[in-house]
């Protein structure tokens, strides 16, 4: 197991991926985007023509596919069967279908196992998702839970899409985000919730750098307390 494990959980568009990546950079730690794993499995299953709600079929796809995740040059690169799919896993269809893999208990078990294997080979790791502090790394050194008002999360997502040349209605984005919150919070295995010992940070009024600074201060405090 890594010497330093930091988990960041939170709902869709709470800024956790960007924050986790920057925090990892600042701490010279590896970064694991576990949402990319659920997305990669979803894309592989869609391409294989699997029935998304059939857990056995999803597991079959995992067994017969080769997944590679690497976090270099500040972004997570994902390959399925040797082909890079970094952009494809962010598409709206994969985003909408990822809930099936996320709700399948044995798929979660498999992915949590892969997450722990990844961490075992790293010195320090910042890992982000929905269940990192509650399930995958329940004994992590420091756990964060980032949250933000759904309206603000929708605004951030709209700005991201606009920057990519896509114009979308704010209400529709907010509805999609709230649907994902419901599905993330209501599943029986690995539901989205803050770990009992997580530090909860509401980012509604904060910029990315302010959040990173806040988290770094917590890490400093915890680490100096340890030493
Ligand atoms: O964070 P994201 O939007 O890339 O996550 C994609 C999907 O995977 C989303 O439906 C939530 C799910 N997920 C999960 O269930 N558990 C995780 N640890 C990470 C993501």
């Amino acid at each position: 197991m890594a010497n330093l494990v930091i988990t960041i959980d939170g709902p869709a568009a709470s800024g956790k991926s960007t924050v986790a990546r920057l925090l990892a950079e600042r701490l010279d730690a590896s970064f694991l985007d576990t949402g990319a794993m659920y997305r990669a499995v979803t894309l592989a299953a869609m391409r294989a023509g699997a029935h998304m709600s059939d857990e056995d079929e999803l597991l079959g796809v995992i067994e017969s596919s080769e997944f590679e995740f690497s976090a270099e040059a500040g972004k997570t690169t994902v390959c399925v069967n040797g082909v890079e799919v970094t952009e494809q896993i962010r598409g709206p269809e994969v985003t909408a279908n990822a809930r099936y893999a996320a709700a399948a208990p044995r798929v979660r078990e498999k992915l949590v196992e892969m997450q722990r294997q990844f961490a075992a080979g790293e010195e320090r790791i910042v890992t982000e998702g929905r269940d990192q502090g509650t399930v995958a790394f329940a004994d992590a050194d420091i756990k964060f839970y980032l949250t933000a008002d759904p309206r603000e999360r929708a605004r951030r997502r709209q700005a991201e899409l606009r920057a990519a040349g896509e114009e979308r209605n704010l209400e529709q984005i907010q509805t999609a985000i709230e649907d994902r919150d419901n599905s993330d919070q209501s599943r029986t295995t690995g539901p989205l919730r803050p770990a009992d010992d997580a530090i909860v940070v509401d980012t509604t009024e904060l910029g990315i750098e302010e959040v990173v600074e806040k988290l770094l201060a917590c890490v400093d405090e915890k680490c100096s307390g340890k030493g």
Side-chain angles (χ1 to χ4, degrees):
M1 183 57 75
N3 278 334
L4 179 70
V5 179
I6 300 175
T7 61
I8 305 185
D9 291 306
S14 57
K16 60 189 187 313
S17 282
T18 313
V19 167
R21 195 174 298 125
L22 291 171
L23 187 67
E25 258 174 45
R26 298 278 291 268
L27 294 170
D28 199 19
S30 302
F31 161 62
L32 183 61
D33 169 0
T34 61
M37 300 173 88
Y38 288 87
R39 288 171 179 274
V41 168
T42 301
L43 180 72
M46 285 164 62
R47 289 190 171 169
H51 294 100
M52 301 305 296
S53 54
D54 186 324
E55 187 167 21
D56 288 326
E57 287 192 32
L58 293 182
L59 281 168
V61 169
I62 296 178
E63 294 303 335
S64 61
S65 312
E66 200 191 314
F67 298 97
E68 285 166 70
F69 304 93
S70 64
E72 271 148 34
K75 77 168 189 172
T76 304
T77 304
V78 180
C79 293
V80 177
N81 298 326
V83 179
E84 194 185 331
V85 293
T86 307
E87 300 300 325
Q88 288 86 334
I89 63 164
R90 304 284 157 196
E93 225 183 320
V94 173
T95 302
N97 279 334
R99 69 178 61 198
Y100 295 102
R106 285 178 294 146
V107 170
R108 298 199 71 86
E109 214 174 280
K110 187 84 204 153
L111 294 191
V112 164
E113 190 186 307
M114 284 162 72
Q115 290 154 17
R116 289 179 181 151
Q117 270 168 15
F118 182 90
E122 306 298 319
E123 188 65 23
R124 301 168 147 217
I125 181 167
V126 177
T127 176
E128 64 97 347
R130 306 292 192 282
D131 60 345
Q132 297 300 283
T134 49
V135 178
F137 302 100
D139 55 357
D141 298 284
I142 309 168
K143 301 176 185 179
F144 293 106
Y145 186 88
L146 296 194
T147 182
D149 184 87
R151 191 65 166 186
E152 175 57 21
R153 288 190 277 137
R155 273 196 213 101
R156 291 177 189 169
R157 186 46 55 84
Q158 188 184 43
E160 258 172 42
L161 291 166
R162 191 169 284 152
E166 205 182 316
E167 200 54 50
R168 288 259 308 278
N169 174 285
L170 190 62
E171 298 299 332
Q172 280 171 4
I173 298 176
Q174 186 173 338
T175 304
I177 282 179
E178 285 171 339
D179 275 358
R180 289 180 68 198
D181 287 355
N182 283 336
S183 132
D184 277 333
Q185 285 160 352
S186 62
R187 67 174 161 257
T188 30
T189 317
L192 171 67
R193 65 168 183 86
D196 294 339
D197 50 349
I199 301 165
V200 178
V201 179
D202 186 333
T203 73
T204 307
E205 308 278 342
L206 302 174
I208 291 288
E209 265 310 316
E210 284 173 299
V211 181
V212 174
E213 288 303 328
K214 207 176 168 80
L215 269 49
L216 273 171
C218 295
V219 174
D220 277 353
E221 200 184 307
K222 280 255 184 182
C223 288
S224 61
K226 257 176 143 187

